[in-house]
Amino acid sequence: MKLGIVTGIPGVGKTTVLNTIKEILTKNNAKFIIMNYGDYMLKTAIELKYVNNRDEIRKLPLNLQRELQLEAARNIFRDASSLGDGLSFLDTHAVVRTPGGYLPGLPKHIIEILQPQVIFLIESEPEQILKRQSNDKTRSRTDYSDPSVIKETMDFARFSAMASAVLVGASVKVVKNVEGDPAVAANQIISSL
Ligand SMILES: Nc1ncnc2c1ncn2[C@@H]1O[C@H](COP(=O)(O)OP(=O)(O)O)[C@@H](O)[C@H]1O
């Protein structure tokens, strides 16, 4: 199994880079899967009739959210393993900025189930991230609207990714999302896994 966890703070271009990875690997007839952590949580939440939609998940009692997080990790590992020597990518967050502080996205009990080889951190200049956010009217990311907040969140994402990597011996790779060319980051991620 080859699993790379792809992280990046909101607005850095993670969705764009992952879509580019998909295009490149599809063109190359490669065996791969791109999984989104939230999608896996939502699937279980709907099956268990906890929620009807994605936005209800973060309003559930924390113990149920933790149960969904754990079940998602087990299912993600199962799907990545079943791909054999194909490439698996998991779209998630190294850190989540909350009013109560920075929350690790990959705590011990989760990273130990996932067993990734690499944790990727997609980064861009804070000013660039702000510009992309303001150009992208389809999403609301106002909680990341200040360059110093973005810089601090990126720092904590690095600390958090390394702390998770230490637990399973994964590597941490910082990948820059170059303005105008998301394929640069996409190719780096593919070749590093
Ligand atoms: N390398 C890039 N160069 C220019 N614009 C980009 C690049 N990557 C992403 N964008 C733009 O930035 C905005 C946010 O990208 P998105 O992939 O949705 O971010 P995320 O998933 O990290 O929140 C979008 O408008 C997207 O088109």
Side-chain angles (χ1 to χ4, degrees):
M1 182 190 86
K2 275 189 188 165
L3 173 64
I5 300 188
V6 182
T7 71
I9 76 161
V12 76
K14 185 163 55 109
T15 308
T16 308
V17 171
L18 281 167
N19 285 338
T20 310
I21 289 176
K22 188 173 170 185
E23 276 168 29
I24 294 169
L25 293 177
T26 304
K27 218 180 277 172
N28 294 347
N29 280 322
K31 193 161 57 163
F32 74 99
I33 182 173
I34 296 177
M35 299 167 282
N36 176 285
Y37 210 105
D39 288 349
Y40 275 77
M41 286 180 63
L42 179 61
K43 188 167 175 288
T44 305
I46 289 175
E47 278 167 11
L48 296 176
K49 299 199 167 34
Y50 289 171
V51 300
N52 295 308
N53 66 58
R54 201 178 189 102
D55 289 325
E56 286 172 18
I57 292 185
R58 63 175 184 273
K59 294 169 192 155
L60 284 172
L62 272 183
N63 63 325
L64 292 187
Q65 293 193 45
R66 287 204 184 92
E67 179 191 329
L68 293 172
Q69 183 190 30
L70 188 64
E71 187 59 18
R74 291 187 182 122
N75 290 333
I76 289 161
F77 178 77
R78 181 201 61 206
D79 290 353
S81 302
S82 71
L83 210 62
D85 59 356
L87 301 181
S88 301
F89 301 91
L90 175 59
D91 176 355
T92 186
H93 291 281
V95 83
V96 180
R97 187 180 151 82
T98 81
Y102 287 102
L103 195 70
L106 301 162
K108 184 173 186 287
H109 65 290
I110 297 296
I111 198 81
E112 285 179 349
I113 293 172
L114 295 172
Q115 295 178 51
Q117 280 72 38
V118 191
I119 301 175
F120 294 99
L121 288 157
I122 301 178
E123 293 188 355
S124 295
E125 297 305 322
E127 281 71 22
Q128 202 60 256
I129 295 175
L130 280 177
K131 225 183 275 170
R132 287 179 194 155
Q133 287 178 351
S134 63
N135 289 340
D136 182 5
K137 305 284 180 225
T138 63
R139 302 271 297 273
S140 163
R141 305 184 182 94
T142 46
D143 40 348
Y144 293 93
S145 55
D146 182 293
S148 64
V149 168
I150 290 179
K151 171 80 176 63
E152 188 184 84
T153 310
M154 279 166 51
D155 285 342
F156 273 90
R158 285 185 173 198
F159 308 150
S160 191
M162 198 67 225
S164 301
V166 164
L167 298 170
V168 292
S171 60
V172 172
K173 178 137 180 96
V174 176
V175 172
K176 190 160 188 233
N177 182 18
V178 180
E179 181 61 16
D181 196 358
V184 174
N187 280 311
Q188 261 187 44
I189 290 174
I190 293 168
S191 61
S192 304
L193 187 58

